[in-house]
Amino acid sequence: MTELPESVQEQGPQRTTWMRRYTLDPELADEFVQFLTTQVIPAREELGFTVESIWIDSDKSQLTWFVSRLGDAEEFAAAEKQWEESQVRAEIF
């Protein structure tokens, strides 16, 4: 395994990142991105998640994004479950 640069090895709060990938109908891709950026992401950020990056491929058939949160994988999974069961998410979807 490659060693991390010293600046990355410094102790700090643990952060867990999950990748999300969606297959899109290219004709609806712009609408989905608008929905994601105006409704889903702000709601997730209010619950302590951070969207690290978002990419959409050139033919608009796949969107990939990375979402992170402070804590280990178990804490992330618990927060993800809380998000999935939240009233806020139910109202958005």
Side-chain angles (χ1 to χ4, degrees), residues 18-87:
W18 281 10
M19 181 186 83
R20 300 266 187 213
R21 180 167 288 149
Y22 300 101
T23 299
L24 307 176
D25 176 339
E27 293 180 16
L28 300 175
D30 292 335
E31 184 179 338
F32 181 75
V33 169
Q34 178 75 12
F35 168 71
L36 190 67
T37 58
T38 62
Q39 294 186 52
V40 176
I41 292 172
R44 288 183 71 103
E45 287 176 340
E46 286 183 24
L47 295 176
F49 293 92
T50 301
V51 174
E52 300 294 341
S53 57
I54 301 174
W55 297 282
I56 191 163
D57 65 357
S58 61
D59 67 358
K60 295 186 176 184
S61 66
Q62 277 199 337
L63 180 135
T64 304
W65 60 302
F66 290 85
V67 60
S68 70
R69 194 169 195 290
L70 288 176
D72 63 20
E74 198 172 283
E75 292 167 313
F76 188 103
E80 185 71 13
K81 183 175 190 236
Q82 183 179 17
W83 155 251
E84 290 177 2
E85 296 173 351
S86 73
Q87 183 64 34

